[in-house]
Amino acid sequence: MKLIAAKMAEIAETMRVERKQMAKQHEETKIGEITAGQVLGGIRGVPAMICDTSTVNPDEGLRIRNIPILELTKAQPEDIFFLLCTGAFPNDAERTELHDMFTRNSSVPYYVWNVLEAMPRDSHPMVMLSTAILVMERESNFRRAYDSGKAKDKMWMYMLEDSFLLLSRITTIAAAIYRMRFDKGERIQPRTDLDWGANFAYMLGLPDTNSRFTELIRMYLVLHSDHEGGNVSAFTANTVSSALSDLFYSFSAAMNGLAGPLHGLANQECLSFVLELHEKFGGVPSDEELTKELWGLLNGGQVIPGYGHAVLRVTDPRFTAFYNFGKQNCVDDKVFGIVDKLFQIAPKVLTEHGKAKNVWPNVDAASGSLLNYYGMTEFEFYTVMFGVSRAMGISAQLVLARASGAPITRPKGLTTPGIKKLLGMS
Ligand code: CMX
């Protein structure tokens, strides 16, 4: 980890000094106002944390270190992790070291398998992922460093060590969960001669004669790698880690948030919905049939999965990347055909319905149909795919939080009578 640690050491020094200075000089400087709507609406849009890895502009979507995500679809996930942490792409020597760090610990200790095998057969794959990560907490370098009294300003280094431990194992664990949970046969051992994405595709064990599935997996990992700091999973991880809980505690907690239907589980729900339509109409429904079906959902108080977003107000560029991939590789597929038809119809229906602030598709609207096309039909697994990818962004965020000396998170809770008083209602 020598080269990466050296680069991070410089960054950490600058970040820590800058943060300290800003906090000292601008303790009382106002940078905005908060409305009651934001407080009552889930702390919506309140600029309340620092996140340097990526930004999400409502009118454009994700940029990783200021690079639009659509310019990164062919990048290697390992390079993206380096970019998230340092703001630059690795040089050749750093890339070699990165590859080593991503493969070094890809064998998973026996006790993780024992725990997973002891879990009830019908456990959700996300429960298995979160549990597997949490039981590895005993191996945290960060916790050991803290216990042995290491200086606070060096703790980012141990968070980085834990990040590589997590990243190198999480693909082995996720692939094994897939094979165990859906009766796919023995676990497939990791290889050290493959890149991170290719190794993950290999361990999942799905047929991949023309390497298009591997290509999809690499792109999937990149597209889901990060989405700034305020989303449920990243915010959770940042909050847990701000108490100096290590990466295993923090990331496991993040996965429990990602497992919610309004967040990461939406991709499972999305494909489940698309498959229901496929079954009901025996293929791609007509415009009229789909319009009626969507109104049925909305009138029943349900949401159209894969549409809308808490921040975005345009089509999610990550959807665009998946959609373009589908147009190139899956045009003959009826399930992708339904995704395509939904893209034509759902925004119109949501606009007419008039409630959703964003009527356009998010990342979850297309990703599942592509995994399904390549044989991963078990949609209960899709949020695990999301979680594996997000391990990059969340790890990078937590390394930077420790590098900059971010303090414990402690927003203020208001009582209902308290806010009523502030609003002049009592
Ligand atoms: N279908 C139907 N109604 C929708 C909707 C959709 N796709 N998206 C938003 N709405 C509704 C909301 O439920 C809300 O209704 P109420 O006022 O009755 O509560 C209203 O429109 C206003 O909501 P909003 O401000 O536009 O959206 P939010 O920021 O509250 O919620 C999100 C954002 C993603 C939870 C919501 O759009 C949604 O439920 N979408 C479907 C689920 C989904 O695709 N989630 C994945 C998001 C990506 C991710 O985080 O992984």
Side-chain angles (χ1 to χ4, degrees):
M1 204 178 85
K2 236 169 68 192
L3 297 175
I4 305 162
K7 186 132 197 164
M8 275 307 305
E10 282 170 35
I11 294 167
E13 179 63 20
T14 311
M15 287 182 87
R16 198 174 48 254
V17 170
E18 270 183 5
R19 184 170 189 134
K20 237 188 200 151
Q21 267 175 4
M22 273 192 286
K24 203 170 159 197
Q25 283 172 12
H26 294 285
E27 201 181 348
E28 304 296 331
T29 309
K30 286 199 173 147
I31 58 164
E33 286 179 349
I34 299 176
T35 65
Q38 288 178 303
V39 173
L40 297 167
I43 334 180
R44 191 61 50 92
V46 177
M49 67 189 298
I50 302 292
C51 173
D52 287 315
T53 53
S54 65
T55 49
V56 180
N57 181 325
D59 303 323
E60 186 199 28
L62 175 64
R63 274 175 180 250
I64 291 184
R65 291 287 190 166
N66 211 24
I67 304 174
I69 190 66
L70 284 174
E71 291 176 23
L72 296 170
T73 54
K74 300 267 185 251
Q76 287 277 353
E78 292 91 326
D79 288 6
I80 294 293
F81 179 64
F82 191 88
L83 177 66
L84 286 161
C85 289
T86 67
F89 281 103
N91 60 30
D92 288 348
E94 287 161 344
R95 188 168 288 120
T96 305
E97 191 183 75
L98 263 179
H99 176 83
D100 177 46
M101 296 311 297
F102 267 81
T103 51
R104 183 176 286 192
N105 286 299
S106 51
S107 289
V108 172
Y110 71 95
Y111 69 85
V112 176
W113 302 135
N114 288 350
V115 168
L116 290 181
E117 275 156 14
M119 290 178 78
R121 296 276 304 148
D122 61 354
S123 300
H124 193 282
M126 281 302 280
V127 178
M128 297 173 81
L129 179 69
S130 175
T131 305
I133 288 157
L134 194 56
V135 291
M136 291 193 297
E137 193 278 334
R138 60 188 284 285
E139 296 184 52
S140 169
N141 298 299
F142 183 95
R143 204 226 312 155
R144 257 201 306 277
Y146 181 82
D147 288 347
S148 68
K150 288 275 186 300
K152 229 168 120 182
D153 61 2
K154 294 282 177 289
M155 290 306 284
W156 63 264
M157 205 160 73
Y158 304 101
M159 189 62 90
L160 186 62
E161 283 181 2
D162 280 359
S163 299
F164 282 122
L165 193 57
L166 174 70
L167 288 163
S168 59
R169 285 185 183 168
I170 195 169
T171 44
T172 313
I173 291 170
I177 290 172
Y178 179 64
R179 297 187 66 77
M180 283 165 73
R181 180 64 174 67
F182 301 107
D183 297 322
K184 300 284 175 184
E186 292 289 301
R187 291 192 296 271
I188 298 174
Q189 296 306 315
R191 280 169 51 179
T192 51
D193 59 326
L194 296 176
D195 62 76
W196 195 56
N199 198 28
F200 187 29
Y202 164 75
M203 288 188 287
L204 286 164
L206 291 163
D208 187 19
T209 44
N210 56 7
S211 298
R212 299 302 275 166
F213 179 61
T214 297
E215 194 185 313
L216 173 66
I217 293 296
R218 283 198 198 101
M219 185 174 81
Y220 190 105
L221 292 167
V222 169
L223 293 180
H224 288 85
S225 61
D226 202 38
H227 215 230
E228 67 110 297
N231 63 77
V232 167
S233 48
F235 192 68
T236 300
N238 273 285
T239 304
V240 175
S241 146
S242 79
L244 295 190
S245 296
D246 60 56
L247 180 64
F248 297 93
Y249 280 125
S250 310
F251 190 71
S252 175
M255 291 302 93
N256 300 339
L258 191 72
L262 296 187
H263 191 15
L265 202 81
N267 57 10
Q268 162 180 336
E269 300 215 325
C270 203
L271 192 74
S272 156
F273 171 58
V274 170
L275 294 181
E276 275 168 32
L277 292 172
H278 187 265
E279 169 124 5
K280 183 164 178 181
F281 296 103
V284 184
S286 68
D287 290 12
E288 294 69 34
E289 286 168 333
L290 187 55
T291 303
K292 193 166 164 222
E293 200 65 24
L294 295 181
W295 274 111
L297 265 190
L298 296 175
N299 292 335
Q302 289 175 271
V303 295
I304 301 177
Y307 283 75
H309 199 270
V311 177
L312 285 172
R313 295 297 175 257
V314 289
T315 295
D316 188 333
R318 300 169 301 168
F319 169 86
T320 306
F322 280 132
Y323 181 76
N324 292 343
F325 185 98
K327 281 287 195 190
Q328 276 166 21
N329 297 288
C330 319
V331 269
D332 54 335
D333 183 50
K334 293 267 188 311
V335 171
F336 182 73
I338 296 175
V339 167
D340 197 2
K341 177 75 77 166
L342 272 165
F343 185 33
Q344 293 160 38
I345 303 291
K348 289 185 207 159
V349 172
L350 280 170
T351 302
E352 207 178 315
H353 186 239
K355 247 184 168 187
K357 293 196 184 74
N358 174 32
V359 300
W360 301 106
N362 60 56
V363 66
D364 298 327
S367 58
S369 69
L370 305 183
L371 295 173
N372 180 69
Y373 180 78
Y374 287 100
M376 188 185 279
T377 54
E378 301 82 2
F379 49 74
E380 270 193 304
F381 188 70
Y382 292 176
T383 313
V384 173
M385 299 290 296
F386 193 154
V388 170
S389 322
R390 203 41 75 85
M392 285 190 283
I394 288 179
S395 296
Q397 288 189 24
L398 300 193
V399 170
L400 293 177
R402 294 285 58 80
S404 67
I408 189 163
T409 304
R410 185 56 170 97
K412 174 87 188 125
L414 288 171
T415 60
T416 304
I419 191 164
K420 280 184 171 168
K421 201 168 166 198
L422 287 173
L423 295 172
M425 292 169 69
S426 63

